[in-house]
Amino acid sequence: MPPYDPSTFPPFAVTVDLVVLTVRRHALCALVVRRGETPFQGRWALPGGFVRMDEDLGSAAARELVEETGLSAHDPAKPAVGNGAHLEQLATYGDPARDPRMRVVSVAHLALAPDLPAPRAGGDANSARWAPVEDLLHPGAGREGEQAAALAFDHARILADGVERARSKIEYSSLATAFCPPEFTVGELRRVYEAVWGVVLDPRNFHRKVTGTPGFLVPSGGTTTRQGGRPAQLFRAGAATVLNPPMLRPEV
Amino acid sequence: MPPYDPSTFPPFAVTVDLVVLTVRRHALCALVVRRGETPFQGRWALPGGFVRMDEDLGSAAARELVEETGLSAHDPAKPAVGNGAHLEQLATYGDPARDPRMRVVSVAHLALAPDLPAPRAGGDANSARWAPVEDLLHPGAGREGEQAAALAFDHARILADGVERARSKIEYSSLATAFCPPEFTVGELRRVYEAVWGVVLDPRNFHRKVTGTPGFLVPSGGTTTRQGGRPAQLFRAGAATVLNPPMLRPEV
DNA sequence: CCAAAAGTGTTGTATATACACCCATGA
DNA sequence: TCATGGGTGTATATACAACACTTTTGG
């Protein structure tokens, strides 16, 4: 890398911000951290940080994800689903006024994770928590006394874009399995769709659909009764990444 | 904007690169410019340039598009189709080694344009031309004696991502009309799909499909025989931006 | 036994495909 | 008249929605 010569180009700060989604208690939740520094001190924000000088964008996002959640991720250059979290680039935000301190371009990434124990705070954040995306996107509309202030910076917009991406992508890909543990039942997968889309699906038709799509699910052999009722077969995510025909999202 | 203090963050150069696609002579083509400077001097590259210090990313892309093609574009914050070109953010590329001179993060944008007269060279490019994407993505596989050297930097990858985005997006949106002039026939729209996907579609079923989707096409009243044969109705793009049910891309 | 969740079968309706067929123009 | 592209009708296959029904556990 040749030495930096600021006369040749305008200098920007480049950061990565993370939209980390999971399904908890039948609701789609996002990871937010409390800001310890000005601006927006004390407000909730998406986790993120500066990209280092010798680091690829996807590597920076994977590093932040580990720091915040302990989750490992696949190389985001090749989107994949498996034991770790799914990680992919979302979009880039560069409004000149989005950070009052300096000119920052943020490359947002989207991560999908199974239900995790407890978030661990990292970096300059005082604390971290999982918050239902409904509360974050529509602050004030929830129950009284809740922490419902708007997210810092333009993070509400970034979160909305990430949620929209996840909602549309589980329609035609096997990405919903990224919200599940390594082994899961058809019913658990259906509850993921229901939580992400905010709908109820017919259990019988859903079962036929997902088990009838070749390569989507592979039986792992075991069964479980952890949801009660009749024992359910356990599955792992199959090799198929694209669903054809897609899952149909019911009309609103 | 507070004064720049390089001690607080690593300084990056931020550029926009453009994947400008059009349909010419029944082939999907991209706009490329010949590089006048080192590195990759004399090689073909995607048009692009530095983002200015007070400029939004979408504004920078729209400015480059005007400089290179004379096309105006809608605010890419709100993707829209109409008289000007369609412009939307594609993805961001930030490999530390992608530019040998310095650390550059490039925010690539995708533009779709109707068939244009002749590209006009701008900036530091010696010349500009429309090239079939097949020739650019598979250099050496074409006819002998062609200019078929690989694109500069990581632009082949960016172009491939842009083409893939266009191919999948015309499936479920009305974006294909961005490749057409303001008034067009159903047959002309079908030839767009055929060129972008590299397939042949049944004219009768295609006609029923697009005219039967409410809001996709609105008749302009006139007719034309510019394709020969029986006069065809002229249409404009309607208000619908999402196609439900989608156009089905035939298996390969 | 009952409740709860898993899984199967059946049927009406919608949509896609394939293709026969007719229409309106230029040469 | 013929060639060319535009446009309509119709049969067959496929896929989905709805829902009755059976299976297998825990309490």
Side-chain angles (χ1 to χ4, degrees):
Chain A
M1 182 78 47
Y4 161 61
D5 175 5
S7 69
T8 57
F9 60 87
F12 286 72
V14 175
T15 62
V16 289
D17 284 322
L18 290 179
V19 177
V20 190
L21 300 179
T22 194
V23 175
R24 308 195 66 174
R25 286 175 288 123
H26 220 273
L28 184 64
C29 295
L31 182 64
V32 287
V33 298
R34 199 191 290 276
R35 284 187 58 80
E37 298 175 353
T38 184
F40 298 101
Q41 188 170 15
R43 296 274 285 280
W44 295 99
L46 299 178
F50 288 107
V51 177
R52 296 176 183 159
M53 216 47 193
D54 58 349
E55 192 179 43
D56 193 11
L57 301 175
S59 313
R63 173 175 56 76
E64 292 286 343
L65 185 63
V66 172
E67 290 176 6
E68 302 285 349
T69 68
L71 274 173
S72 68
H74 296 81
D75 184 346
K78 294 186 164 194
V81 180
N83 244 346
H86 169 89
L87 181 62
E88 67 177 47
Q89 196 187 104
L90 177 59
T92 299
Y93 301 82
D95 188 301
R98 66 181 294 277
D99 189 318
R101 294 166 298 178
M102 54 193 164
R103 184 68 202 266
V104 183
V105 164
S106 175
V107 184
H109 284 69
L110 174 66
L112 308 185
D115 197 358
L116 296 174
R120 57 186 217 202
D124 62 351
N126 287 337
S127 56
R129 70 175 180 121
W130 293 105
V133 297
E134 281 312 306
D135 299 357
L136 294 171
L137 292 179
H138 308 293
R143 306 163 299 282
E144 25 192 309
E146 291 289 311
Q147 310 130 313
L151 290 175
F153 302 109
D154 52 359
H155 288 187
R157 162 94 189 284
I158 299 176
L159 173 63
D161 290 348
V163 168
E164 178 50 37
R165 172 91 132 247
R167 284 191 173 139
S168 69
K169 213 158 176 184
I170 64 173
E171 212 166 339
Y172 57 90
S173 80
S174 61
L175 224 74
T177 58
F179 286 116
C180 295
E183 293 198 340
F184 53 90
T185 69
V186 172
E188 288 162 351
L189 182 63
R190 175 171 47 82
R191 279 178 275 275
V192 164
Y193 276 93
E194 291 178 334
V196 175
W197 283 345
V199 298
V200 291
L201 300 173
D202 186 299
R204 292 91 62 145
N205 293 333
F206 183 87
H207 187 279
R208 220 194 326 266
K209 175 89 179 185
V210 295
T211 57
T213 300
F216 188 12
L217 301 181
V218 294
S220 75
T223 61
T224 182
T225 60
R226 63 189 174 216
Q227 301 289 344
R230 168 176 168 180
Q233 255 191 296
L234 283 169
F235 294 88
R236 297 178 181 281
T241 61
V242 58
L243 260 43
N244 199 339
M247 282 300 298
L248 290 190
R249 170 155 40 163
E251 318 252 334
V252 194
Chain B
M1 182 77 47
Y4 162 61
D5 175 3
S7 68
T8 57
F9 60 86
F12 285 72
V14 175
T15 61
V16 289
D17 284 322
L18 289 180
V19 177
V20 189
L21 300 180
T22 195
V23 174
R24 307 195 67 170
R25 286 174 287 123
H26 219 276
L28 185 63
C29 294
L31 181 64
V32 287
V33 298
R34 199 190 290 275
R35 283 188 58 81
E37 299 175 354
T38 182
F40 299 102
Q41 186 168 18
R43 295 273 284 283
W44 295 99
L46 299 177
F50 288 107
V51 177
R52 296 177 183 159
M53 216 46 193
D54 59 350
E55 192 180 43
D56 194 9
L57 301 174
S59 311
R63 173 175 56 76
E64 292 287 342
L65 185 63
V66 172
E67 290 176 6
E68 302 285 349
T69 68
L71 274 173
S72 67
H74 296 81
D75 184 346
K78 294 187 163 191
V81 180
N83 244 346
H86 170 89
L87 180 61
E88 67 177 47
Q89 195 187 104
L90 176 59
T92 300
Y93 302 83
D95 188 304
R98 65 182 296 276
D99 188 318
R101 294 166 297 177
M102 53 191 163
R103 185 67 202 267
V104 182
V105 164
S106 175
V107 183
H109 285 69
L110 174 65
L112 309 185
D115 197 356
L116 295 174
R120 56 184 219 202
D124 61 351
N126 286 339
S127 56
R129 69 175 181 120
W130 294 105
V133 297
E134 281 313 307
D135 299 356
L136 295 171
L137 293 178
H138 308 294
R143 308 163 298 282
E144 28 193 308
E146 291 290 312
Q147 309 129 313
L151 290 175
F153 303 108
D154 53 359
H155 288 186
R157 162 96 190 285
I158 299 177
L159 174 63
D161 291 348
V163 168
E164 178 50 38
R165 172 89 133 250
R167 283 189 173 140
S168 68
K169 212 157 176 183
I170 64 172
E171 210 166 343
Y172 56 89
S173 79
S174 61
L175 257 184
T177 58
F179 286 115
C180 296
E183 292 200 339
F184 54 90
T185 70
V186 171
E188 288 163 351
L189 183 63
R190 175 172 48 82
R191 279 179 275 276
V192 164
Y193 276 93
E194 291 179 334
V196 174
W197 283 345
V199 298
V200 291
L201 300 173
D202 186 300
R204 292 90 58 140
N205 293 333
F206 183 88
H207 187 279
R208 221 194 326 266
K209 177 91 176 181
V210 296
T211 56
T213 300
F216 188 12
L217 300 182
V218 294
S220 75
T223 62
T224 182
T225 61
R226 61 190 175 215
Q227 302 288 344
R230 167 177 167 180
Q233 254 192 295
L234 284 169
F235 293 88
R236 298 177 181 281
T241 62
V242 56
L243 259 45
N244 199 338
M247 282 301 296
L248 290 190
R249 170 152 43 160
E251 318 253 336
V252 195

